[in-house]
């Protein structure tokens, strides 16, 4: 075990030591971020680094443990980003084994927010420096760090500080905002008023029953949503043949998503998981075999469901179904986005998108969640997974379906899949095929050695783990890229072909890539009807155009975007920060109208319908990104922006009106 003392000699760029007490240091940190050098982590024998952090602010703070390699000391090759709640002494534990790149979202300690691993695999011999850094925020911050220790074993359980952070309705007790509900009686009155005032009508009279634009007929009624290209612009069309721009919100549902295990002492009210009134509002997300060193149980609760049940009584669910879809229509949304409650599909007359419930997987994987795509097992699984489309194949309200969302393997920029095949010790079919490919190309191992600048004794040496083969030579790089393309094409084509056999009526909406981390990621686009990405930005134009520039001749749909502020309950902004709720509405309109203005843009879905829990959802995100808060109260200033956008969206899409120029006031994001 090693103790690490945090003192001024470690500080880089904008840190002032305010106070020091034994194992604790209080620091003033510049708004643009700063870093603390931790050279002990480079060659140590211990596995875990643990410490406590306290953000002496009213909002969350984001930090990153960043690893730099020799030859590039400006850009981290690998980092672990994580968030902490304000005003709470938070235990942090980072596993140095994460640097091998096998995990994207490690489990967090109780009391800590989300952790994310970025970058490529790093081996100890190439490390130049490791630093703990704060990410930029909109003002200077005060941070207290204490008890940093290196240990071989996972540290003993941490004791969280006392105090109540969450009220009986699931709201943040530490903050006050305009629409905060004062208690259950007030919530009852508010919800009854909303139910009485809801009409469920779209705000524009020239919209069809599907939310399409009756002023632009693209073709004859087909009975299903489809796509058209007219006048150099891509459009979707509703089942009646009217132009359709898909605007909606993801996660229209009230699933259990408030992480409560380990933080029970911070809650004013939480029923017992066995309580017959509330037991269906709990969910466990941790299987016995999946337990990690953090020893957390993985228990979720739905304060949103509990609030509606206590306010509206036993009939709360059908009342909510009608209320939420009425509200979305009134504000000009025409789509239930991904991960919405499936009970709403086909029962509320509102168009929807969905996802393949399961994407085909294999018992042996290549890297993270990338399957052994050349195996018979992958083909069998693709056929099995496609059968789930049978039950909705004739539903005219279904716009289409995504194959999956943000594959974990694609979070590594410039990833060479064939490199991972040869690094992985599993004897996969992909490895068999790659070795066969190399044998057929070079014939003799001596020829491959010349081309690859190596000294292998036989082709079977590739069954032993080989590191970054594409970096061995130009020929190696070319071969690894060629084989990676074959794998990518199989990854896309095989499930698409099986899905078409089961459901020939609906559009395949693509993979919802988190971003295009490599130009070759668009491989196989011809199998889709719509190409989808998730795009967190002020203006998505460049991201859409990038897809077009890569040769994709398809309409483009944005699966996720959002804007968050700090003037309501949760303590983090999400992936795009703005100054206020009004700015959220302004930013929403600016974004959506730029999607519509692009000739290839056909829709964008806001993430998400409801705020995340202030102490963190299942993985620790706690963003103020909802159209509604945890008490089902609408953020009126945001939703007025949504309504204004809907009044002009079809004119912008048709090129008759320019998109708005008014932007929301941006602030640095607080997100993890």
């Amino acid at each position: 075990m090693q103790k690490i003392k945090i003192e001024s000699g470690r500080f880089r760029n904008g840190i002032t030591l305010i106070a020091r007490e034994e194992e604790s240091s209080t620091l003033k940190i510049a708004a643009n971020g700063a870093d603390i050098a931790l050279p002990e982590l480079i060659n140590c024998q211990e596995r875990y680094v643990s410490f406590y952090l306290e953000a002496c602010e009213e909002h969350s703070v984001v930090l990153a443990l960043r690893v730099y390699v020799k030859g590039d000391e400006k850009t981290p090759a690998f980092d672990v980003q994580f968030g902490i709640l304000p005003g709470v002494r938070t235990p942090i534990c980072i596993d140095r084994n994460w640097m091998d790149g096998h995990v994207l979202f490690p489990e967090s300690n109780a009391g800590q927010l989300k952790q994310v691993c970025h970058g490529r695999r790093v081996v100890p011999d190439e490390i130049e420096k490791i630093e703990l850094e704060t990410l930029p925020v909109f003002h200077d911050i005060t941070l207290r760090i204490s008890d940093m220790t290196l240990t071989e074993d996972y540290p003993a359980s941490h004791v969280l500080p006392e105090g109540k952070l969450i009220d009986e309705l699931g709201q943040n007790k530490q903050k006050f905002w305009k629409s905060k509900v004062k208690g259950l009686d007030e919530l009852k009155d508010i919800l009854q008023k909303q139910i009485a005032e809801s009409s469920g009508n779209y705000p524009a009279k020239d919209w069809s029953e599907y939310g399409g634009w009756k002023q632009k007929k693209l073709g004859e009624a087909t009975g299903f949503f489809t796509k058209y290209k007219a006048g150099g612009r891509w459009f979707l069309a509703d089942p009646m043949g009217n132009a359709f721009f898909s605007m909606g919100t993801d996660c229209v549902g009230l699933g259990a998503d408030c992480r409560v295990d380990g933080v029970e002492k911070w809650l004013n009210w939480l029923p017992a998981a066995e309580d017959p009134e509330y037991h269906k509002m709990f969910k466990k997300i941790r299987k016995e075999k999946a337990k990690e060193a953090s020893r957390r149980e993985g228990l979720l609760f739905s304060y949103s469901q509990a609030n509606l049940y206590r306010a509206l009584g036993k009939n709360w669910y059908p009342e909510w179904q009608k209320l939420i879809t009425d509200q979305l229509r009134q504000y000009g949304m025409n789509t239930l986005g991904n991960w919405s409650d499936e009970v709403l599909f086909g029962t509320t007359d509102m168009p929807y998108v969905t996802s393949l419930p399961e994407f085909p997987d294999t018992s042996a994987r290549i890297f993270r969640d990338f399957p052994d795509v050349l195996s018979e097992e992958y083909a069998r699984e693709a056929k099995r997974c496609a059968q789930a489309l049978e039950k909705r194949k004739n539903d005219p309200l279904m716009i289409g379906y995504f194959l999956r969302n943000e594959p974990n393997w694609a979070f590594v920029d410039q990833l060479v899949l064939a490199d991972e095949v040869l690094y992985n010790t599993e004897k996969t079919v992909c490895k068999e095929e790659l070795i066969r490919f190399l044998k057929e190309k070079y014939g003799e191992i001596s020829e491959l050695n010349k081309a690859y600048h190596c000294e292998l004794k036989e082709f079977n040496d590739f069954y032993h783990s080989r590191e970054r083969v594409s970096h061995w030579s130009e020929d190696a790089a070319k071969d690894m890229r060629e084989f990676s393309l074959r794998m990518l094409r199989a990854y896309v084509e095989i499930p698409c072909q099986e899905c078409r056999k089961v459901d020939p009526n609906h559009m395949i909406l693509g993979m919802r890539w988190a971003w295009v981390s490599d130009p070759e990621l668009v491989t196989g686009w011809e199998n889709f009807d719509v190409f989808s990405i998730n795009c967190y930005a002020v203006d998505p134009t460049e991201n859409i155009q990038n897809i077009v520039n890569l040769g994709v001749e398809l309409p483009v749909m944005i699966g996720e975007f959002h804007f968050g502020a700090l003037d309501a309950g949760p303590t983090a902004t999400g992936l795009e920060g703005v100054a206020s709720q009004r700015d959220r509405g302004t930013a929403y309109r600016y974004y959506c109208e730029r999607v519509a203005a692009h000739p290839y843009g056909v829709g964008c879905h806001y993430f998400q319908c409801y705020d995340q829990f202030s102490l963190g959802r299942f993985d620790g995100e706690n963003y103020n990104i909802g159209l509604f808060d945890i008490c089902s109260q609408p953020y009126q200033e945001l939703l007025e922006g949504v309504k204004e956008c809907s009044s002009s969206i079809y004119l912008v899409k048709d090129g008759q009106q320019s998109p708005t120029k008014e932007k929301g006031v941006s602030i640095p994001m607080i997100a993890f």
Side-chain angles (χ1 to χ4, degrees), residues 356 358-363 371-372 375-388 494-495 498-499:
L356 198 63
E358 274 187 274
F359 190 80
D361 199 0
T362 54
S363 53
D372 192 5
S375 67
E376 291 184 6
E377 182 186 8
Y378 185 68
R380 287 195 307 271
E381 281 295 292
K383 185 173 185 177
R384 182 187 65 80
C385 292
Q387 300 307 308
I494 292 170
E498 294 299 334
C499 288

Side-chain angles (χ1 to χ4, degrees), residues 196-217:
E197 293 177 349
S198 65
S199 68
N201 297 321
Y202 287 122
K205 292 182 179 180
D206 61 356
W207 284 25
S208 74
E209 63 189 86
Y210 296 99
W213 194 35
K214 291 188 286 189
Q215 291 193 33
K216 191 174 187 69
K217 193 83 168 177

Side-chain angles (χ1 to χ4, degrees), residues 184 269-282 301-302 305-316:
L184 190 56
W269 175 80
L270 180 72
E274 302 80 21
D275 188 317
E277 280 193 281
Y278 297 100
H279 74 278
K280 291 184 179 179
M281 300 177 192
F282 284 90
F301 179 66
S302 177
Q305 288 185 34
N307 290 339
L308 289 167
Y309 169 67
R310 289 181 289 171
L312 300 177
K314 292 183 178 179
N315 201 43
W316 70 269

Side-chain angles (χ1 to χ4, degrees), residues 407-464:
N408 288 359
W409 61 267
F411 274 71
V412 179
D413 289 336
Q414 309 301 319
L415 179 72
V416 181
L417 285 166
D419 276 355
E420 300 305 319
V421 171
L422 295 178
Y423 178 80
N424 192 332
T425 56
E426 292 267 10
K427 194 171 183 179
T428 59
V429 177
C430 284
K431 182 174 283 191
E432 298 278 1
E433 289 297 312
L434 176 49
I435 293 172
R436 181 179 292 111
F437 163 70
L438 296 176
K439 285 180 178 178
E440 290 176 355
K441 180 167 184 176
Y442 293 100
E444 300 293 336
I445 192 64
S446 58
E447 295 301 312
L448 181 139
N449 285 336
K450 289 177 187 176
Y452 281 27
H453 303 166
C454 63
E455 296 180 355
L456 300 179
K457 294 180 179 178
E458 57 182 355
F459 286 101
N460 284 351
D461 285 354
F462 280 116
Y463 285 116
H464 304 291

Side-chain angles (χ1 to χ4, degrees), residues 330-346:
Q330 284 174 223
Y331 288 110
M333 289 190 162
N334 59 11
T335 304
L336 298 171
N338 209 35
W339 302 299
S340 292
D341 187 341
E342 290 194 9
V343 177
L344 299 173
F345 298 169

Side-chain angles (χ1 to χ4, degrees), residues 292-303:
E292 299 180 28
S294 66
R295 302 180 181 88
R296 295 190 71 182
E297 181 185 5
L299 187 65
L300 307 178
F301 179 66
S302 177
Y303 277 99

Side-chain angles (χ1 to χ4, degrees), residues 461-477:
D461 285 354
F462 280 116
Y463 285 116
H464 304 291
S465 181
R466 301 293 171 178
E467 177 81 25
R468 302 177 75 190
V469 173
S470 65
H471 290 249
W472 291 6
S473 72
E474 288 185 11
D475 286 330

Side-chain angles (χ1 to χ4, degrees), residues 465-524:
S465 181
R466 301 293 171 178
E467 177 81 25
R468 302 177 75 190
V469 173
S470 65
H471 290 249
W472 291 6
S473 72
E474 288 185 11
D475 286 330
K478 183 179 177 182
D479 290 345
M480 295 304 109
R481 283 287 178 182
E482 181 180 342
F483 195 81
S484 295
L485 282 174
R486 178 182 168 189
M487 294 169 66
L488 271 171
R489 188 163 294 281
Y491 181 75
V492 172
E493 281 186 352
I494 292 170
C496 282
Q497 289 168 358
E498 294 299 334
C499 288
R500 295 277 190 210
K501 293 175 186 176
V502 177
D503 182 358
N505 299 322
H506 292 105
M507 294 187 288
I508 298 178
L509 304 178
M511 293 279 188
R512 294 170 62 99
W513 301 109
W515 67 89
V516 179
S517 54
D518 187 291
E520 291 170 357
L521 216 59
V522 303
T523 300

